[in-house]
Amino acid sequence: MDYVTLALAKGRTAESTIELLNNAGIDFPDFHTKSRKLVFYNTDQTVKLIFVKAVDVPTYVEKGAADIGVVGKDNILESQADIYEILDLKLGRCQFVVAGKPETTLESTQKLTIASKYPTVAKSHFQQKGIPIETIKLNGSVELAPLIGLADIIVDIVETGTTINENGLKIIDEIEDISTRLIVNKASFTTKSALIHELINKLKSVME
Ligand code: PRP
């Protein structure tokens, strides 16, 4: 039997995505976020789920190792992967922001240094604003960078605002809203059209 391979991002929205899939009648009886297994099948074996790091989901889908992916818009934008973004699953809503110490402004005569897990997003945002910047790529705990003088500001995602607040930073600029999206490999969209559309329609019907 034919199946679609779905790359699911590990992390905050994995469980709510599985719940959404379950509600849509696509259930993965063996799935558990704490399991060390990386491959799961749904009951009727029409979906093979691979559980991968969020940052890698766009790559799996672009290269065709997965037909579809479920991942945050943040990782889609940063990857610049050549994929179709089909559906906003409206999970994991947060925001891309520029943040820094309370006294920091963007009106600097000197080139600003920005620390971020998303240097591509940061570059593109400041290029549009005509502000020259230099980026430092970090892989986590980004809020630390302005505090210890590694960077002037950060570009990061804010969900509850707790991390920014607890580290005495403030939001300087809002870039864009983020949420979990369903993405599709361009070739699979044609070759596995029926299976992919069936899955999309099931998801759409439970989201309404
Ligand atoms: C993310 C993000 C912020 C934080 C925002 O980090 O990079 O640091 O969550 O969430 P909040 O507004 O609800 O506090 P993550 O938890 O993925 O950890 P990391 O620092 O290791 O990247």
Side-chain angles (χ1 to χ4, degrees):
M1 190 182 194
D2 207 7
Y3 59 81
V4 286
T5 301
L6 183 157
L8 173 66
K10 290 183 177 182
R12 292 183 190 208
T13 56
E15 275 184 50
S16 45
T17 305
I18 289 290
E19 203 179 302
L20 182 69
L21 287 162
N22 277 345
N23 292 341
I26 306 159
D27 63 316
F28 296 88
D30 300 343
F31 182 87
H32 196 280
T33 49
K34 297 214 165 54
S35 163
R36 296 298 298 166
K37 256 179 89 171
L38 299 169
V39 182
F40 303 87
Y41 286 89
N42 69 328
T43 305
D44 68 6
Q45 311 253 310
T46 51
V47 184
K48 175 184 181 177
L49 186 148
I50 58 172
F51 198 35
V52 301
K53 278 201 112 172
V55 69
D56 295 330
V57 170
T59 309
Y60 277 88
V61 175
E62 182 181 40
K63 302 290 179 200
D67 303 300
I68 52 186
V70 174
V71 66
K73 179 76 177 174
D74 52 334
N75 286 305
I76 299 171
L77 287 170
E78 183 61 22
S79 73
Q80 298 188 301
D82 188 17
I83 44 89
Y84 293 133
E85 186 187 311
I86 302 290
L87 193 60
D88 183 352
L89 298 179
K90 300 188 165 61
L91 302 170
R93 290 189 210 231
C94 51
Q95 219 181 17
F96 254 135
V97 301
V98 179
K101 291 205 274 190
E103 66 274 19
T104 308
T105 65
L106 300 181
E107 287 87 45
S108 165
T109 45
Q110 292 197 325
K111 207 181 218 185
L112 287 166
T113 304
I114 302 185
S116 186
K117 288 188 275 191
Y118 309 94
T120 304
V121 170
K123 275 180 203 149
S124 136
H125 177 69
F126 282 93
Q127 206 164 19
Q128 277 170 30
K129 288 190 163 266
I131 300 175
I133 59 152
E134 204 171 287
T135 54
I136 296 175
K137 164 89 181 174
L138 291 179
N139 295 300
S141 307
V142 178
E143 291 81 0
L144 198 55
L147 301 180
I148 57 161
L150 177 64
D152 300 308
I153 49 177
I154 61 170
V155 164
D156 201 7
I157 49 173
V158 166
E159 190 182 0
T160 59
T162 309
T163 316
I164 292 247
N165 290 336
E166 290 196 357
N167 289 290
L169 301 180
K170 67 152 194 197
I171 294 172
I172 299 172
D173 197 7
E174 293 173 356
I175 302 180
E176 84 170 82
D177 291 337
I178 302 293
S179 57
T180 301
R181 310 289 161 97
L182 183 100
I183 59 174
V184 180
N185 171 269
K186 288 192 163 177
S188 302
F189 199 61
T190 308
T191 57
K192 294 193 176 178
S193 170
L195 277 173
I196 290 173
H197 278 98
E198 195 186 318
L199 188 142
I200 292 168
N201 290 336
K202 281 181 180 170
L203 286 172
K204 275 186 178 164
S205 69
V206 290
M207 286 173 63
E208 276 160 8

